[in-house]
Every structure is written in C-alpha cells, then in structure tokens.
Amino acid sequence: MPGGVAWQGLPGADMATSQCVKDVWVSATSPQPHVSRLRRASQPLAVTRDGADMPSRVAESLFWLGRYGERLDGHARLLREAIYRLMEQDQESLADPALDDLLQLLGLERGLADPVQSRFQHDREQLLSLFKEGHPEALPSLLARLVANGRAVRDHLGDDAWRVFNQLHQEGVRLPQAGIHEGRRAVEALITQSAAFFGFCNETMPHHYGWRFLDIGRFIERAMLTLRLLRVALIEAPQAAPEGDGGSAAGDGLWEVVLATTDNASAYRRRYRSELYPAAILDLLLFDEGNPRSIGYMFKRLERQITHLPQPQDTPYRSDEARLLIRARAALHLADLDARRECSVAAGQADAGNLAGCPGRATGGAVPSDRAQPLQPCRSAAPADSDAGALSAPRSADCR
C-alpha cells in the first residue's frame, strides 16, 4: 500500500477514540510506475451531461461564490486606489480629497477620530484595518466566505481553477501581517488571482445551470458596485461639496477613481484623451453594451443567463427577475443624460438591488424558489419578507 489515512493515538488505546487523523505515505526504495485511479470500463456507460439534476445547495454555493468573488475584487480595487492616494500625499499638510470618499466606499470612518492623531496616521490605520479580521468588509472576512463556498463545490471546479483558488486562500492567510507597502502588493495579487480564477471557471466549467448561477452572482455584485461608485462620484460628492466650491468640481477627483476601479482608464483616454466629462463617463459605464464593465452589458448578460434557466410551465407570463431586468434596461435606454443623470443612476441602483434578492427558480426541479435575505456576513434561516422580489439563491442556516 503506497499510502492511506491513519488514526493516531496512544499505544494500547482504542483508535476509534482518537481525534487525530493523518495521511501516511510509504516511501519506496526504487522509482515506481504511475498508477492511475481511473480504470477502463468493463461495459458501455450511459452518456450523461451536467445540469438538469443540480441540487439547490450547489446552485446556492456557486451563486454566492460569484458574489463574494466579485465583492472581493471590487474591495481590493478600491483599497488599491486608496493606498496609492495615501502614499502620494504629504504626511503633514497635503491630503487627497478623494480619500475621504474612498474610505466611505470601503465602509470606514471619515475624518479624524482623535484630535492628536494626524490625518495621515488616521487614514493609514483605517486602511490597515481592512487587512485584519474584525471588520465585516475586511479582505480576510470576504476571503473566508469565498473559500467556504468554493470548498462546497470543489467537484464542480477544474484543477487549474482550484490551484488558483488555493493561491487566493494562501494570500489571505498572510494578509493580517501586512503593512501598508506589503498590503499594496497583496491587493495587486488578489486582483490578478481573482481574475485568473473566474477566467478558468469560464473556460473550463461546463456551462450548465451551476455556471449560470455563478455568472449571475458575479454580475449582480459588479452592477451594484459600479452603480454605487457612480452615485458617490456624480451625485453625492457634488451635493456634499461646500458652497462656493464649484459643486460640479467636487467629484472631479473621484471620476479618475471610478475609471481606475472599473479598469476603464485606458479605454477612456483612447476615446477622449485627457478631458474628464461626466456624460462621457456615464456613456462608457452605463450605456456602452460592448464594455464588460458597463451596466448595459451586465444587464444584457444577466438577461441572457436568466433566459437559459428553466422557465415556469404553469404560466404564460414572465418571471419576477425577467420583469425587473426589462424595467432596468428600459430605464437605461430611455435615460436623458442632460436632464436625468441622477435619476438614471438611482433607478439602475434600485433595480440592481432588487435583483440581488430575486427568488431563485427551480433548476430542473431541484432549486426551490425560496426568497433570500440581502447579502449579509451571515444569513440565518429566519423567513424573509414575503413581498421582496429579486434573483438570489435559496437561503440556508450557515454563513455564506
């Protein structure tokens, strides 16, 4: 026997009572031939394909794997921009005005908590808190939820995707010891590894119902983050600007943050050179359906994935999530940039939020249409509001 699993215990003790289990490998004295765990079938097999019999727990875990993966990517991108601006500012006097809004987007406190503490020290400690456990939106917390859902669907992930997934996990283990410079390199690695993981999932996973739930989770989360960015940069920041400060110029520093966070800075410069203009940013990130980071593309992709899910057989009408997407896309197509900039962003954000809680439909009769609560650090089995309608996976009693 080249190896196996063994119980470890005291001599003479009952092995069944031992709580320690270890792998045992027997070393050979000479090179051994490769032994495959697969064997040739003795009789013809019935050819089957994935998807129709998918359990609800698998669909749920894949849905939340997509949401937490995209949330981790979004937070890492925001944190990267915040660290860049912190490291560029002067420790005594010069402060980047966009940093306050970045702290708000990351769920951190704005302004000075201690009059004795300098602005630089306060912002630095706030950003470093996202590398440690304790904050609900800290990177280790998001990684832990991502890993929990990934492990629940290990047999649905390819080997290459699983290797990158383990690299993500190992990166998360080192995060609590990171300083500000190590943290910058860590978020760069997280962004790259997250893109590699979902790239492998897209290229190697069979495109069955489970993959569609993974994709739906990703693009719901991405749409919500993008709309939140646009709302802060184009609506909230100008409204919060002091009188006499120009108002419209208050969000100028955030426009570049929006383009960098969505990885559209190069595309914008190619089209418009160095001029920043809100209508051009909105066109790029709201209406351009050829841009994977635009809301128009995300809604179009969500519509395509939902259309391929099993349709109700007992009604000729569209499902709740299909109607929400039609309403959201209509709001985009009918929006007037000059007169309705604020309305179009707010309406899209509301519809994306509704999609995040839409009832999940049956996947081949296996996925129940329970309603889920909004995304929380830990979801309980308590019943949700019966009037809530939006696309989500079924609830469970454990943390997702």
Side-chain angles (χ1 to χ4, degrees):
M1 181 181 71
V5 179
W7 294 95
Q8 184 182 36
L10 296 174
D14 185 4
M15 292 294 101
T17 62
S18 173
Q19 300 297 316
C20 184
V21 180
K22 292 188 176 181
D23 289 329
V24 175
W25 297 96
V26 180
S27 300
T29 57
S30 61
Q32 300 296 304
H34 173 73
V35 178
S36 175
R37 293 178 293 177
L38 301 174
R39 63 180 185 274
R40 183 181 294 274
S42 58
Q43 58 186 359
L45 297 176
V47 177
T48 62
R49 293 184 179 177
D50 295 317
D53 58 347
M54 177 162 293
S56 60
R57 60 175 178 79
V58 173
E60 178 185 33
S61 293
L62 287 168
F63 175 83
W64 289 102
L65 178 65
R67 287 203 66 174
Y68 281 123
E70 197 64 34
R71 179 174 287 200
L72 175 68
D73 178 78
H75 275 66
R77 290 175 182 275
L78 287 171
L79 188 54
R80 177 180 63 181
E81 292 302 312
I83 291 175
Y84 281 163
R85 279 156 176 74
L86 178 72
M87 294 172 67
E88 289 174 356
Q89 76 180 30
D90 183 77
Q91 296 191 18
E92 300 299 331
S93 57
L94 181 63
D96 192 325
L99 195 54
D100 279 345
D101 295 295
L102 280 167
L103 292 175
Q104 180 188 12
L105 285 165
L106 288 166
L108 300 173
E109 295 179 2
R110 304 177 68 179
L112 287 177
D114 185 355
V116 181
Q117 191 179 41
S118 72
R119 172 69 176 268
F120 179 87
Q121 290 174 335
H122 173 265
D123 293 344
R124 182 177 182 276
E125 291 179 6
Q126 288 285 294
L127 294 176
L128 285 177
S129 68
L130 293 180
F131 292 96
K132 298 175 174 57
E133 295 283 356
H135 194 282
E137 298 299 322
L139 296 183
S141 300
L142 295 176
L143 269 168
R145 301 174 210 165
L146 179 74
V147 168
N149 283 281
R151 287 174 174 170
V153 291
R154 168 65 185 93
D155 55 336
H156 289 266
L157 303 177
D159 291 338
D160 289 333
W162 188 249
R163 291 188 187 98
V164 177
F165 188 81
N166 281 327
Q167 293 173 10
L168 267 172
H169 183 208
Q170 293 302 318
E171 194 68 44
V173 172
R174 296 188 289 268
L175 284 177
Q177 290 78 41
I180 198 69
H181 295 283
E182 295 83 0
R184 179 181 60 83
R185 290 190 288 269
V187 294
E188 291 281 6
L190 287 176
I191 292 169
T192 304
Q193 291 165 357
S194 175
F197 171 68
F198 285 110
F200 277 126
C201 288
N202 190 57
E203 295 297 325
T204 60
M205 279 182 69
H207 288 192
H208 49 51
Y209 295 139
W211 173 79
R212 297 190 188 282
F213 273 102
L214 174 72
D215 211 53
I216 288 169
R218 286 186 65 203
F219 281 91
I220 285 177
E221 192 70 31
R222 184 182 293 183
M224 294 175 68
L225 175 61
T226 303
L227 288 167
R228 187 178 173 212
L229 275 170
L230 291 173
R231 186 179 186 90
V232 170
L234 302 175
I235 299 174
E236 294 180 2
Q239 289 177 351
E243 293 186 7
D245 193 30
S248 61
D252 289 13
L254 280 175
W255 295 350
E256 188 177 356
V257 170
V258 170
L259 292 173
T261 303
T262 58
D263 201 13
N264 273 280
S266 296
Y268 186 90
R269 284 196 298 267
R270 185 174 63 252
R271 296 183 188 183
Y272 306 106
R273 303 304 179 188
S274 59
E275 296 292 334
L276 284 174
Y277 188 62
I281 296 174
L282 283 175
D283 177 73
L284 180 65
L285 295 178
L286 278 181
F287 304 107
D288 186 356
E289 294 186 355
N291 177 16
R293 289 280 174 174
S294 76
I295 299 301
Y297 174 89
M298 297 175 206
F299 284 173
K300 187 176 181 179
R301 184 154 175 165
L302 285 169
E303 185 177 43
R304 182 170 69 247
Q305 299 292 33
I306 290 171
T307 301
H308 283 86
L309 293 178
Q311 302 296 322
Q313 301 296 326
D314 56 348
T315 176
Y317 304 110
R318 298 182 186 273
S319 61
D320 291 343
E321 57 269 25
R323 291 197 297 269
L324 280 170
L325 278 170
I326 291 172
R327 187 176 70 184
R329 294 193 69 191
L332 284 178
H333 288 248
L334 299 175
D336 182 352
L337 277 183
D338 295 328
R340 300 185 59 192
R341 181 183 69 184
E342 180 173 347
C343 294
S344 62
V345 174
Q349 192 171 34
D351 289 333
N354 288 335
L355 281 170
C358 236
R361 287 178 298 154
T363 306
V367 183
S369 59
D370 298 341
R371 282 175 168 81
Q373 295 176 356
L375 181 62
Q376 299 292 341
C378 180
R379 293 179 292 135
S380 66
D385 186 354
S386 60
D387 294 332
L391 174 65
S392 174
R395 290 173 299 151
S396 65
D398 57 338
C399 295
R400 289 295 175 196

PDB file of all heavy atoms in Angstrom, residues 91-107:
ATOM      1  N   GLN A  91       2.520  63.802   4.610  1.00  0.00           N
ATOM      2  CA  GLN A  91       2.070  63.329   5.914  1.00  0.00           C
ATOM      3  C   GLN A  91       1.606  64.457   6.831  1.00  0.00           C
ATOM      4  O   GLN A  91       0.952  64.193   7.837  1.00  0.00           O
ATOM      5  CB  GLN A  91       3.186  62.538   6.603  1.00  0.00           C
ATOM      6  CG  GLN A  91       3.569  61.268   5.867  1.00  0.00           C
ATOM      7  CD  GLN A  91       4.483  60.382   6.697  1.00  0.00           C
ATOM      8  OE1 GLN A  91       4.569  60.551   7.909  1.00  0.00           O
ATOM      9  NE2 GLN A  91       5.159  59.463   6.058  1.00  0.00           N
ATOM     10  N   GLU A  92       1.913  65.662   6.522  1.00  0.00           N
ATOM     11  CA  GLU A  92       1.565  66.757   7.421  1.00  0.00           C
ATOM     12  C   GLU A  92       0.453  67.656   6.893  1.00  0.00           C
ATOM     13  O   GLU A  92      -0.475  68.002   7.621  1.00  0.00           O
ATOM     14  CB  GLU A  92       2.816  67.604   7.701  1.00  0.00           C
ATOM     15  CG  GLU A  92       3.955  66.816   8.344  1.00  0.00           C
ATOM     16  CD  GLU A  92       3.547  66.241   9.709  1.00  0.00           C
ATOM     17  OE1 GLU A  92       2.688  66.840  10.386  1.00  0.00           O
ATOM     18  OE2 GLU A  92       4.094  65.196  10.067  1.00  0.00           O
ATOM     19  N   SER A  93       0.535  68.026   5.619  1.00  0.00           N
ATOM     20  CA  SER A  93      -0.390  69.063   5.156  1.00  0.00           C
ATOM     21  C   SER A  93      -1.243  68.635   3.968  1.00  0.00           C
ATOM     22  O   SER A  93      -2.455  68.842   3.966  1.00  0.00           O
ATOM     23  CB  SER A  93       0.408  70.322   4.772  1.00  0.00           C
ATOM     24  OG  SER A  93       1.370  70.008   3.776  1.00  0.00           O
ATOM     25  N   LEU A  94      -0.648  68.038   2.939  1.00  0.00           N
ATOM     26  CA  LEU A  94      -1.371  67.753   1.706  1.00  0.00           C
ATOM     27  C   LEU A  94      -2.177  66.465   1.836  1.00  0.00           C
ATOM     28  O   LEU A  94      -1.645  65.423   2.189  1.00  0.00           O
ATOM     29  CB  LEU A  94      -0.387  67.631   0.536  1.00  0.00           C
ATOM     30  CG  LEU A  94      -0.998  67.361  -0.834  1.00  0.00           C
ATOM     31  CD1 LEU A  94      -1.893  68.533  -1.239  1.00  0.00           C
ATOM     32  CD2 LEU A  94       0.094  67.127  -1.872  1.00  0.00           C
ATOM     33  N   ALA A  95      -3.470  66.532   1.573  1.00  0.00           N
ATOM     34  CA  ALA A  95      -4.341  65.356   1.646  1.00  0.00           C
ATOM     35  C   ALA A  95      -5.181  65.291   0.379  1.00  0.00           C
ATOM     36  O   ALA A  95      -5.693  66.313  -0.097  1.00  0.00           O
ATOM     37  CB  ALA A  95      -5.249  65.424   2.879  1.00  0.00           C
ATOM     38  N   ASP A  96      -5.335  64.103  -0.163  1.00  0.00           N
ATOM     39  CA  ASP A  96      -6.142  63.912  -1.366  1.00  0.00           C
ATOM     40  C   ASP A  96      -7.616  63.964  -0.975  1.00  0.00           C
ATOM     41  O   ASP A  96      -8.073  63.169  -0.149  1.00  0.00           O
ATOM     42  CB  ASP A  96      -5.815  62.552  -1.992  1.00  0.00           C
ATOM     43  CG  ASP A  96      -6.381  62.411  -3.389  1.00  0.00           C
ATOM     44  OD1 ASP A  96      -7.482  62.946  -3.621  1.00  0.00           O
ATOM     45  OD2 ASP A  96      -5.750  61.767  -4.229  1.00  0.00           O
ATOM     46  N   PRO A  97      -8.407  64.885  -1.540  1.00  0.00           N
ATOM     47  CA  PRO A  97      -9.825  64.981  -1.156  1.00  0.00           C
ATOM     48  C   PRO A  97     -10.623  63.740  -1.527  1.00  0.00           C
ATOM     49  O   PRO A  97     -11.671  63.478  -0.927  1.00  0.00           O
ATOM     50  CB  PRO A  97     -10.317  66.217  -1.922  1.00  0.00           C
ATOM     51  CG  PRO A  97      -9.345  66.405  -3.040  1.00  0.00           C
ATOM     52  CD  PRO A  97      -8.033  65.916  -2.529  1.00  0.00           C
ATOM     53  N   ALA A  98     -10.159  62.953  -2.506  1.00  0.00           N
ATOM     54  CA  ALA A  98     -10.887  61.740  -2.898  1.00  0.00           C
ATOM     55  C   ALA A  98     -10.748  60.635  -1.867  1.00  0.00           C
ATOM     56  O   ALA A  98     -11.528  59.680  -1.874  1.00  0.00           O
ATOM     57  CB  ALA A  98     -10.392  61.239  -4.251  1.00  0.00           C
ATOM     58  N   LEU A  99      -9.763  60.759  -0.961  1.00  0.00           N
ATOM     59  CA  LEU A  99      -9.528  59.690   0.001  1.00  0.00           C
ATOM     60  C   LEU A  99     -10.694  59.535   0.969  1.00  0.00           C
ATOM     61  O   LEU A  99     -11.031  58.423   1.382  1.00  0.00           O
ATOM     62  CB  LEU A  99      -8.227  59.963   0.764  1.00  0.00           C
ATOM     63  CG  LEU A  99      -7.633  58.797   1.559  1.00  0.00           C
ATOM     64  CD1 LEU A  99      -7.443  57.571   0.678  1.00  0.00           C
ATOM     65  CD2 LEU A  99      -6.301  59.212   2.174  1.00  0.00           C
ATOM     66  N   ASP A 100     -11.329  60.645   1.362  1.00  0.00           N
ATOM     67  CA  ASP A 100     -12.489  60.557   2.257  1.00  0.00           C
ATOM     68  C   ASP A 100     -13.612  59.746   1.628  1.00  0.00           C
ATOM     69  O   ASP A 100     -14.249  58.914   2.292  1.00  0.00           O
ATOM     70  CB  ASP A 100     -13.000  61.958   2.608  1.00  0.00           C
ATOM     71  CG  ASP A 100     -12.186  62.600   3.717  1.00  0.00           C
ATOM     72  OD1 ASP A 100     -11.430  61.862   4.378  1.00  0.00           O
ATOM     73  OD2 ASP A 100     -12.295  63.814   3.898  1.00  0.00           O
ATOM     74  N   ASP A 101     -13.863  59.967   0.349  1.00  0.00           N
ATOM     75  CA  ASP A 101     -14.927  59.232  -0.325  1.00  0.00           C
ATOM     76  C   ASP A 101     -14.552  57.768  -0.519  1.00  0.00           C
ATOM     77  O   ASP A 101     -15.414  56.887  -0.468  1.00  0.00           O
ATOM     78  CB  ASP A 101     -15.248  59.882  -1.667  1.00  0.00           C
ATOM     79  CG  ASP A 101     -15.813  61.281  -1.506  1.00  0.00           C
ATOM     80  OD1 ASP A 101     -16.922  61.411  -0.953  1.00  0.00           O
ATOM     81  OD2 ASP A 101     -15.139  62.242  -1.894  1.00  0.00           O
ATOM     82  N   LEU A 102     -13.272  57.494  -0.730  1.00  0.00           N
ATOM     83  CA  LEU A 102     -12.827  56.106  -0.821  1.00  0.00           C
ATOM     84  C   LEU A 102     -13.005  55.380   0.508  1.00  0.00           C
ATOM     85  O   LEU A 102     -13.411  54.217   0.554  1.00  0.00           O
ATOM     86  CB  LEU A 102     -11.365  56.054  -1.261  1.00  0.00           C
ATOM     87  CG  LEU A 102     -11.109  56.224  -2.760  1.00  0.00           C
ATOM     88  CD1 LEU A 102      -9.634  56.476  -3.030  1.00  0.00           C
ATOM     89  CD2 LEU A 102     -11.579  54.986  -3.509  1.00  0.00           C
ATOM     90  N   LEU A 103     -12.706  56.073   1.598  1.00  0.00           N
ATOM     91  CA  LEU A 103     -12.929  55.472   2.920  1.00  0.00           C
ATOM     92  C   LEU A 103     -14.408  55.169   3.129  1.00  0.00           C
ATOM     93  O   LEU A 103     -14.774  54.126   3.675  1.00  0.00           O
ATOM     94  CB  LEU A 103     -12.414  56.408   4.018  1.00  0.00           C
ATOM     95  CG  LEU A 103     -10.895  56.613   4.094  1.00  0.00           C
ATOM     96  CD1 LEU A 103     -10.562  57.658   5.149  1.00  0.00           C
ATOM     97  CD2 LEU A 103     -10.191  55.309   4.406  1.00  0.00           C
ATOM     98  N   GLN A 104     -15.271  56.074   2.687  1.00  0.00           N
ATOM     99  CA  GLN A 104     -16.705  55.851   2.813  1.00  0.00           C
ATOM    100  C   GLN A 104     -17.140  54.641   1.979  1.00  0.00           C
ATOM    101  O   GLN A 104     -17.920  53.806   2.435  1.00  0.00           O
ATOM    102  CB  GLN A 104     -17.462  57.092   2.368  1.00  0.00           C
ATOM    103  CG  GLN A 104     -18.988  56.938   2.462  1.00  0.00           C
ATOM    104  CD  GLN A 104     -19.729  58.102   1.836  1.00  0.00           C
ATOM    105  OE1 GLN A 104     -19.131  58.923   1.146  1.00  0.00           O
ATOM    106  NE2 GLN A 104     -21.021  58.171   2.067  1.00  0.00           N
ATOM    107  N   LEU A 105     -16.639  54.523   0.754  1.00  0.00           N
ATOM    108  CA  LEU A 105     -16.985  53.393  -0.099  1.00  0.00           C
ATOM    109  C   LEU A 105     -16.513  52.067   0.503  1.00  0.00           C
ATOM    110  O   LEU A 105     -17.128  51.029   0.284  1.00  0.00           O
ATOM    111  CB  LEU A 105     -16.372  53.583  -1.483  1.00  0.00           C
ATOM    112  CG  LEU A 105     -17.047  54.613  -2.384  1.00  0.00           C
ATOM    113  CD1 LEU A 105     -16.157  54.967  -3.559  1.00  0.00           C
ATOM    114  CD2 LEU A 105     -18.394  54.081  -2.874  1.00  0.00           C
ATOM    115  N   LEU A 106     -15.418  52.120   1.258  1.00  0.00           N
ATOM    116  CA  LEU A 106     -14.891  50.906   1.886  1.00  0.00           C
ATOM    117  C   LEU A 106     -15.527  50.630   3.242  1.00  0.00           C
ATOM    118  O   LEU A 106     -15.143  49.670   3.912  1.00  0.00           O
ATOM    119  CB  LEU A 106     -13.369  51.038   2.046  1.00  0.00           C
ATOM    120  CG  LEU A 106     -12.557  50.953   0.754  1.00  0.00           C
ATOM    121  CD1 LEU A 106     -11.131  51.444   0.977  1.00  0.00           C
ATOM    122  CD2 LEU A 106     -12.547  49.528   0.231  1.00  0.00           C
ATOM    123  N   GLY A 107     -16.472  51.458   3.656  1.00  0.00           N
ATOM    124  CA  GLY A 107     -17.146  51.244   4.937  1.00  0.00           C
ATOM    125  C   GLY A 107     -16.347  51.678   6.129  1.00  0.00           C
ATOM    126  O   GLY A 107     -16.563  51.175   7.242  1.00  0.00           O
TER     127      GLY A 107
END
